[in-house]
Amino acid sequence: MISTLTGCVAALSLDALVLDVGGVGFAVRTTPQALAEARHGQELTMHTELVVREDSLTLYGFPRPEETEIFRIVQSVSGIGPRIALAVLAVLSPDDLRRAVAAGDTKAITRTPGIGPKVAQRMVLELKDRIGAPSGEASADGDAAPALAADAPATGPEGDVVQALIGLGWPEKAAADAVAKAAGDGASDAGALLREALRRLGGSR
């Protein structure tokens, strides 16, 4: 089992980074927030979880060990796999999720694409005694502006970010609208577009 990797960031994409460890490149899937903070050539430690399937080996990783622990625990809920667990951490920080579970706030949990009210209720029931107590820090969530229609960008960083959001489970129109509004607010590079689009999508449910 690979539990941590420390190396230089050799490549970045919209859903993974490549960590060069002693000349071996490890592709690590992680959250948009972690990717936005990473820089090419930076030395980085990722706390990892290897997911083994019949036809694939996929390495997931996070900058903080508590994120990896939450990633593992969320997958213990019936019907939730690594893709949805990663989407949960893309929308909610570990403490945000702990607060939602402690308060029975299924609405906050259903902000995650792919999780409906029934699954959110199951998460509250199954995680309540396993996920730990929140630290008490205030959540950074805020209200988002009303949604406006926008056409999906076809090329360039905007199109790439839309496709990354679709891969995380958001509907194409919602992803395109969020990216278009992020671009309208002045975000231009992929990292900035992704951060702003996620902020808008997180408050839209």
mmCIF file with all atom_site columns, all heavy atoms in Angstrom, residues 176-198:
data_model
loop_
_atom_site.group_PDB
_atom_site.id
_atom_site.type_symbol
_atom_site.label_atom_id
_atom_site.label_alt_id
_atom_site.label_comp_id
_atom_site.label_asym_id
_atom_site.label_entity_id
_atom_site.label_seq_id
_atom_site.pdbx_PDB_ins_code
_atom_site.Cartn_x
_atom_site.Cartn_y
_atom_site.Cartn_z
_atom_site.occupancy
_atom_site.B_iso_or_equiv
_atom_site.pdbx_formal_charge
_atom_site.auth_seq_id
_atom_site.auth_comp_id
_atom_site.auth_asym_id
_atom_site.auth_atom_id
_atom_site.pdbx_PDB_model_num
ATOM 1   N N   . ALA A 1 176 ? -21.109 24.771 -17.516 1.00 0.00 ? 176 ALA A N   1
ATOM 2   C CA  . ALA A 1 176 ? -20.838 25.829 -18.501 1.00 0.00 ? 176 ALA A CA  1
ATOM 3   C C   . ALA A 1 176 ? -21.254 27.198 -17.978 1.00 0.00 ? 176 ALA A C   1
ATOM 4   O O   . ALA A 1 176 ? -20.546 28.193 -18.172 1.00 0.00 ? 176 ALA A O   1
ATOM 5   C CB  . ALA A 1 176 ? -21.551 25.516 -19.815 1.00 0.00 ? 176 ALA A CB  1
ATOM 6   N N   . ASP A 1 177 ? -22.416 27.254 -17.315 1.00 0.00 ? 177 ASP A N   1
ATOM 7   C CA  . ASP A 1 177 ? -22.881 28.525 -16.743 1.00 0.00 ? 177 ASP A CA  1
ATOM 8   C C   . ASP A 1 177 ? -21.886 29.051 -15.704 1.00 0.00 ? 177 ASP A C   1
ATOM 9   O O   . ASP A 1 177 ? -21.540 30.239 -15.690 1.00 0.00 ? 177 ASP A O   1
ATOM 10  C CB  . ASP A 1 177 ? -24.252 28.351 -16.078 1.00 0.00 ? 177 ASP A CB  1
ATOM 11  C CG  . ASP A 1 177 ? -25.381 28.194 -17.078 1.00 0.00 ? 177 ASP A CG  1
ATOM 12  O OD1 . ASP A 1 177 ? -25.145 28.416 -18.281 1.00 0.00 ? 177 ASP A OD1 1
ATOM 13  O OD2 . ASP A 1 177 ? -26.497 27.839 -16.653 1.00 0.00 ? 177 ASP A OD2 1
ATOM 14  N N   . ALA A 1 178 ? -21.436 28.164 -14.812 1.00 0.00 ? 178 ALA A N   1
ATOM 15  C CA  . ALA A 1 178 ? -20.519 28.579 -13.748 1.00 0.00 ? 178 ALA A CA  1
ATOM 16  C C   . ALA A 1 178 ? -19.196 29.061 -14.323 1.00 0.00 ? 178 ALA A C   1
ATOM 17  O O   . ALA A 1 178 ? -18.636 30.069 -13.870 1.00 0.00 ? 178 ALA A O   1
ATOM 18  C CB  . ALA A 1 178 ? -20.284 27.417 -12.770 1.00 0.00 ? 178 ALA A CB  1
ATOM 19  N N   . VAL A 1 179 ? -18.673 28.360 -15.321 1.00 0.00 ? 179 VAL A N   1
ATOM 20  C CA  . VAL A 1 179 ? -17.405 28.757 -15.935 1.00 0.00 ? 179 VAL A CA  1
ATOM 21  C C   . VAL A 1 179 ? -17.560 30.079 -16.677 1.00 0.00 ? 179 VAL A C   1
ATOM 22  O O   . VAL A 1 179 ? -16.682 30.950 -16.616 1.00 0.00 ? 179 VAL A O   1
ATOM 23  C CB  . VAL A 1 179 ? -16.889 27.650 -16.885 1.00 0.00 ? 179 VAL A CB  1
ATOM 24  C CG1 . VAL A 1 179 ? -15.677 28.131 -17.673 1.00 0.00 ? 179 VAL A CG1 1
ATOM 25  C CG2 . VAL A 1 179 ? -16.516 26.407 -16.087 1.00 0.00 ? 179 VAL A CG2 1
ATOM 26  N N   . ALA A 1 180 ? -18.670 30.257 -17.377 1.00 0.00 ? 180 ALA A N   1
ATOM 27  C CA  . ALA A 1 180 ? -18.891 31.503 -18.101 1.00 0.00 ? 180 ALA A CA  1
ATOM 28  C C   . ALA A 1 180 ? -18.954 32.695 -17.146 1.00 0.00 ? 180 ALA A C   1
ATOM 29  O O   . ALA A 1 180 ? -18.397 33.761 -17.418 1.00 0.00 ? 180 ALA A O   1
ATOM 30  C CB  . ALA A 1 180 ? -20.176 31.410 -18.922 1.00 0.00 ? 180 ALA A CB  1
ATOM 31  N N   . LYS A 1 181 ? -19.623 32.508 -16.014 1.00 0.00 ? 181 LYS A N   1
ATOM 32  C CA  . LYS A 1 181 ? -19.713 33.595 -15.032 1.00 0.00 ? 181 LYS A CA  1
ATOM 33  C C   . LYS A 1 181 ? -18.351 33.854 -14.389 1.00 0.00 ? 181 LYS A C   1
ATOM 34  O O   . LYS A 1 181 ? -18.000 35.006 -14.110 1.00 0.00 ? 181 LYS A O   1
ATOM 35  C CB  . LYS A 1 181 ? -20.771 33.260 -13.985 1.00 0.00 ? 181 LYS A CB  1
ATOM 36  C CG  . LYS A 1 181 ? -22.195 33.409 -14.519 1.00 0.00 ? 181 LYS A CG  1
ATOM 37  C CD  . LYS A 1 181 ? -23.243 33.133 -13.465 1.00 0.00 ? 181 LYS A CD  1
ATOM 38  C CE  . LYS A 1 181 ? -23.421 31.659 -13.247 1.00 0.00 ? 181 LYS A CE  1
ATOM 39  N NZ  . LYS A 1 181 ? -24.555 31.353 -12.344 1.00 0.00 ? 181 LYS A NZ  1
ATOM 40  N N   . ALA A 1 182 ? -17.584 32.773 -14.153 1.00 0.00 ? 182 ALA A N   1
ATOM 41  C CA  . ALA A 1 182 ? -16.230 32.948 -13.607 1.00 0.00 ? 182 ALA A CA  1
ATOM 42  C C   . ALA A 1 182 ? -15.364 33.738 -14.579 1.00 0.00 ? 182 ALA A C   1
ATOM 43  O O   . ALA A 1 182 ? -14.607 34.636 -14.182 1.00 0.00 ? 182 ALA A O   1
ATOM 44  C CB  . ALA A 1 182 ? -15.602 31.584 -13.323 1.00 0.00 ? 182 ALA A CB  1
ATOM 45  N N   . ALA A 1 183 ? -15.470 33.421 -15.862 1.00 0.00 ? 183 ALA A N   1
ATOM 46  C CA  . ALA A 1 183 ? -14.705 34.153 -16.872 1.00 0.00 ? 183 ALA A CA  1
ATOM 47  C C   . ALA A 1 183 ? -15.151 35.604 -16.940 1.00 0.00 ? 183 ALA A C   1
ATOM 48  O O   . ALA A 1 183 ? -14.337 36.519 -17.106 1.00 0.00 ? 183 ALA A O   1
ATOM 49  C CB  . ALA A 1 183 ? -14.857 33.475 -18.230 1.00 0.00 ? 183 ALA A CB  1
ATOM 50  N N   . GLY A 1 184 ? -16.454 35.828 -16.789 1.00 0.00 ? 184 GLY A N   1
ATOM 51  C CA  . GLY A 1 184 ? -16.973 37.194 -16.807 1.00 0.00 ? 184 GLY A CA  1
ATOM 52  C C   . GLY A 1 184 ? -16.497 38.023 -15.632 1.00 0.00 ? 184 GLY A C   1
ATOM 53  O O   . GLY A 1 184 ? -16.428 39.254 -15.713 1.00 0.00 ? 184 GLY A O   1
ATOM 54  N N   . ASP A 1 185 ? -16.136 37.350 -14.541 1.00 0.00 ? 185 ASP A N   1
ATOM 55  C CA  . ASP A 1 185 ? -15.617 38.050 -13.357 1.00 0.00 ? 185 ASP A CA  1
ATOM 56  C C   . ASP A 1 185 ? -14.111 38.291 -13.438 1.00 0.00 ? 185 ASP A C   1
ATOM 57  O O   . ASP A 1 185 ? -13.509 38.793 -12.490 1.00 0.00 ? 185 ASP A O   1
ATOM 58  C CB  . ASP A 1 185 ? -15.932 37.246 -12.093 1.00 0.00 ? 185 ASP A CB  1
ATOM 59  C CG  . ASP A 1 185 ? -17.398 37.353 -11.700 1.00 0.00 ? 185 ASP A CG  1
ATOM 60  O OD1 . ASP A 1 185 ? -18.085 38.255 -12.226 1.00 0.00 ? 185 ASP A OD1 1
ATOM 61  O OD2 . ASP A 1 185 ? -17.851 36.542 -10.889 1.00 0.00 ? 185 ASP A OD2 1
ATOM 62  N N   . GLY A 1 186 ? -13.501 37.872 -14.552 1.00 0.00 ? 186 GLY A N   1
ATOM 63  C CA  . GLY A 1 186 ? -12.082 38.168 -14.752 1.00 0.00 ? 186 GLY A CA  1
ATOM 64  C C   . GLY A 1 186 ? -11.146 36.994 -14.634 1.00 0.00 ? 186 GLY A C   1
ATOM 65  O O   . GLY A 1 186 ? -9.945  37.128 -14.873 1.00 0.00 ? 186 GLY A O   1
ATOM 66  N N   . ALA A 1 187 ? -11.655 35.811 -14.227 1.00 0.00 ? 187 ALA A N   1
ATOM 67  C CA  . ALA A 1 187 ? -10.794 34.630 -14.158 1.00 0.00 ? 187 ALA A CA  1
ATOM 68  C C   . ALA A 1 187 ? -10.418 34.214 -15.573 1.00 0.00 ? 187 ALA A C   1
ATOM 69  O O   . ALA A 1 187 ? -11.265 34.195 -16.467 1.00 0.00 ? 187 ALA A O   1
ATOM 70  C CB  . ALA A 1 187 ? -11.509 33.494 -13.436 1.00 0.00 ? 187 ALA A CB  1
ATOM 71  N N   . SER A 1 188 ? -9.147  33.882 -15.785 1.00 0.00 ? 188 SER A N   1
ATOM 72  C CA  . SER A 1 188 ? -8.717  33.542 -17.142 1.00 0.00 ? 188 SER A CA  1
ATOM 73  C C   . SER A 1 188 ? -7.979  32.212 -17.233 1.00 0.00 ? 188 SER A C   1
ATOM 74  O O   . SER A 1 188 ? -8.260  31.401 -18.113 1.00 0.00 ? 188 SER A O   1
ATOM 75  C CB  . SER A 1 188 ? -7.832  34.654 -17.716 1.00 0.00 ? 188 SER A CB  1
ATOM 76  O OG  . SER A 1 188 ? -6.713  34.877 -16.867 1.00 0.00 ? 188 SER A OG  1
ATOM 77  N N   . ASP A 1 189 ? -7.029  31.949 -16.314 1.00 0.00 ? 189 ASP A N   1
ATOM 78  C CA  . ASP A 1 189 ? -6.305  30.682 -16.399 1.00 0.00 ? 189 ASP A CA  1
ATOM 79  C C   . ASP A 1 189 ? -7.159  29.570 -15.805 1.00 0.00 ? 189 ASP A C   1
ATOM 80  O O   . ASP A 1 189 ? -8.128  29.809 -15.078 1.00 0.00 ? 189 ASP A O   1
ATOM 81  C CB  . ASP A 1 189 ? -4.961  30.764 -15.672 1.00 0.00 ? 189 ASP A CB  1
ATOM 82  C CG  . ASP A 1 189 ? -5.131  30.985 -14.169 1.00 0.00 ? 189 ASP A CG  1
ATOM 83  O OD1 . ASP A 1 189 ? -5.237  32.168 -13.769 1.00 0.00 ? 189 ASP A OD1 1
ATOM 84  O OD2 . ASP A 1 189 ? -5.176  30.005 -13.420 1.00 0.00 ? 189 ASP A OD2 1
ATOM 85  N N   . ALA A 1 190 ? -6.820  28.316 -16.120 1.00 0.00 ? 190 ALA A N   1
ATOM 86  C CA  . ALA A 1 190 ? -7.642  27.176 -15.735 1.00 0.00 ? 190 ALA A CA  1
ATOM 87  C C   . ALA A 1 190 ? -7.819  27.070 -14.222 1.00 0.00 ? 190 ALA A C   1
ATOM 88  O O   . ALA A 1 190 ? -8.915  26.784 -13.743 1.00 0.00 ? 190 ALA A O   1
ATOM 89  C CB  . ALA A 1 190 ? -7.033  25.888 -16.295 1.00 0.00 ? 190 ALA A CB  1
ATOM 90  N N   . GLY A 1 191 ? -6.755  27.301 -13.453 1.00 0.00 ? 191 GLY A N   1
ATOM 91  C CA  . GLY A 1 191 ? -6.854  27.188 -12.007 1.00 0.00 ? 191 GLY A CA  1
ATOM 92  C C   . GLY A 1 191 ? -7.838  28.180 -11.410 1.00 0.00 ? 191 GLY A C   1
ATOM 93  O O   . GLY A 1 191 ? -8.673  27.830 -10.570 1.00 0.00 ? 191 GLY A O   1
ATOM 94  N N   . ALA A 1 192 ? -7.755  29.439 -11.857 1.00 0.00 ? 192 ALA A N   1
ATOM 95  C CA  . ALA A 1 192 ? -8.659  30.466 -11.345 1.00 0.00 ? 192 ALA A CA  1
ATOM 96  C C   . ALA A 1 192 ? -10.098 30.181 -11.769 1.00 0.00 ? 192 ALA A C   1
ATOM 97  O O   . ALA A 1 192 ? -11.039 30.353 -10.992 1.00 0.00 ? 192 ALA A O   1
ATOM 98  C CB  . ALA A 1 192 ? -8.214  31.841 -11.836 1.00 0.00 ? 192 ALA A CB  1
ATOM 99  N N   . LEU A 1 193 ? -10.274 29.757 -13.022 1.00 0.00 ? 193 LEU A N   1
ATOM 100 C CA  . LEU A 1 193 ? -11.608 29.422 -13.511 1.00 0.00 ? 193 LEU A CA  1
ATOM 101 C C   . LEU A 1 193 ? -12.211 28.283 -12.691 1.00 0.00 ? 193 LEU A C   1
ATOM 102 O O   . LEU A 1 193 ? -13.394 28.323 -12.323 1.00 0.00 ? 193 LEU A O   1
ATOM 103 C CB  . LEU A 1 193 ? -11.545 29.019 -14.982 1.00 0.00 ? 193 LEU A CB  1
ATOM 104 C CG  . LEU A 1 193 ? -11.388 30.153 -16.006 1.00 0.00 ? 193 LEU A CG  1
ATOM 105 C CD1 . LEU A 1 193 ? -11.011 29.577 -17.368 1.00 0.00 ? 193 LEU A CD1 1
ATOM 106 C CD2 . LEU A 1 193 ? -12.684 30.954 -16.119 1.00 0.00 ? 193 LEU A CD2 1
ATOM 107 N N   . LEU A 1 194 ? -11.405 27.278 -12.408 1.00 0.00 ? 194 LEU A N   1
ATOM 108 C CA  . LEU A 1 194 ? -11.893 26.126 -11.668 1.00 0.00 ? 194 LEU A CA  1
ATOM 109 C C   . LEU A 1 194 ? -12.290 26.504 -10.250 1.00 0.00 ? 194 LEU A C   1
ATOM 110 O O   . LEU A 1 194 ? -13.356 26.112 -9.762  1.00 0.00 ? 194 LEU A O   1
ATOM 111 C CB  . LEU A 1 194 ? -10.805 25.052 -11.649 1.00 0.00 ? 194 LEU A CB  1
ATOM 112 C CG  . LEU A 1 194 ? -11.194 23.655 -11.170 1.00 0.00 ? 194 LEU A CG  1
ATOM 113 C CD1 . LEU A 1 194 ? -12.349 23.092 -11.978 1.00 0.00 ? 194 LEU A CD1 1
ATOM 114 C CD2 . LEU A 1 194 ? -9.994  22.727 -11.251 1.00 0.00 ? 194 LEU A CD2 1
ATOM 115 N N   . ARG A 1 195 ? -11.457 27.294 -9.579  1.00 0.00 ? 195 ARG A N   1
ATOM 116 C CA  . ARG A 1 195 ? -11.773 27.716 -8.199  1.00 0.00 ? 195 ARG A CA  1
ATOM 117 C C   . ARG A 1 195 ? -13.076 28.510 -8.166  1.00 0.00 ? 195 ARG A C   1
ATOM 118 O O   . ARG A 1 195 ? -13.940 28.262 -7.321  1.00 0.00 ? 195 ARG A O   1
ATOM 119 C CB  . ARG A 1 195 ? -10.626 28.557 -7.627  1.00 0.00 ? 195 ARG A CB  1
ATOM 120 C CG  . ARG A 1 195 ? -9.398  27.760 -7.233  1.00 0.00 ? 195 ARG A CG  1
ATOM 121 C CD  . ARG A 1 195 ? -8.447  28.608 -6.401  1.00 0.00 ? 195 ARG A CD  1
ATOM 122 N NE  . ARG A 1 195 ? -7.957  29.766 -7.123  1.00 0.00 ? 195 ARG A NE  1
ATOM 123 C CZ  . ARG A 1 195 ? -6.877  29.758 -7.904  1.00 0.00 ? 195 ARG A CZ  1
ATOM 124 N NH1 . ARG A 1 195 ? -6.188  28.643 -8.072  1.00 0.00 ? 195 ARG A NH1 1
ATOM 125 N NH2 . ARG A 1 195 ? -6.466  30.855 -8.514  1.00 0.00 ? 195 ARG A NH2 1
ATOM 126 N N   . GLU A 1 196 ? -13.216 29.482 -9.069  1.00 0.00 ? 196 GLU A N   1
ATOM 127 C CA  . GLU A 1 196 ? -14.397 30.333 -9.054  1.00 0.00 ? 196 GLU A CA  1
ATOM 128 C C   . GLU A 1 196 ? -15.642 29.555 -9.458  1.00 0.00 ? 196 GLU A C   1
ATOM 129 O O   . GLU A 1 196 ? -16.719 29.743 -8.882  1.00 0.00 ? 196 GLU A O   1
ATOM 130 C CB  . GLU A 1 196 ? -14.180 31.532 -9.988  1.00 0.00 ? 196 GLU A CB  1
ATOM 131 C CG  . GLU A 1 196 ? -15.352 32.516 -10.049 1.00 0.00 ? 196 GLU A CG  1
ATOM 132 C CD  . GLU A 1 196 ? -15.664 33.164 -8.709  1.00 0.00 ? 196 GLU A CD  1
ATOM 133 O OE1 . GLU A 1 196 ? -14.775 33.172 -7.821  1.00 0.00 ? 196 GLU A OE1 1
ATOM 134 O OE2 . GLU A 1 196 ? -16.792 33.673 -8.547  1.00 0.00 ? 196 GLU A OE2 1
ATOM 135 N N   . ALA A 1 197 ? -15.511 28.673 -10.453 1.00 0.00 ? 197 ALA A N   1
ATOM 136 C CA  . ALA A 1 197 ? -16.664 27.874 -10.876 1.00 0.00 ? 197 ALA A CA  1
ATOM 137 C C   . ALA A 1 197 ? -17.121 26.947 -9.754  1.00 0.00 ? 197 ALA A C   1
ATOM 138 O O   . ALA A 1 197 ? -18.329 26.790 -9.517  1.00 0.00 ? 197 ALA A O   1
ATOM 139 C CB  . ALA A 1 197 ? -16.309 27.070 -12.123 1.00 0.00 ? 197 ALA A CB  1
ATOM 140 N N   . LEU A 1 198 ? -16.178 26.339 -9.046  1.00 0.00 ? 198 LEU A N   1
ATOM 141 C CA  . LEU A 1 198 ? -16.541 25.473 -7.924  1.00 0.00 ? 198 LEU A CA  1
ATOM 142 C C   . LEU A 1 198 ? -17.233 26.260 -6.815  1.00 0.00 ? 198 LEU A C   1
ATOM 143 O O   . LEU A 1 198 ? -18.170 25.766 -6.183  1.00 0.00 ? 198 LEU A O   1
ATOM 144 C CB  . LEU A 1 198 ? -15.295 24.782 -7.372  1.00 0.00 ? 198 LEU A CB  1
ATOM 145 C CG  . LEU A 1 198 ? -14.824 23.543 -8.131  1.00 0.00 ? 198 LEU A CG  1
ATOM 146 C CD1 . LEU A 1 198 ? -13.432 23.148 -7.677  1.00 0.00 ? 198 LEU A CD1 1
ATOM 147 C CD2 . LEU A 1 198 ? -15.787 22.387 -7.934  1.00 0.00 ? 198 LEU A CD2 1
#
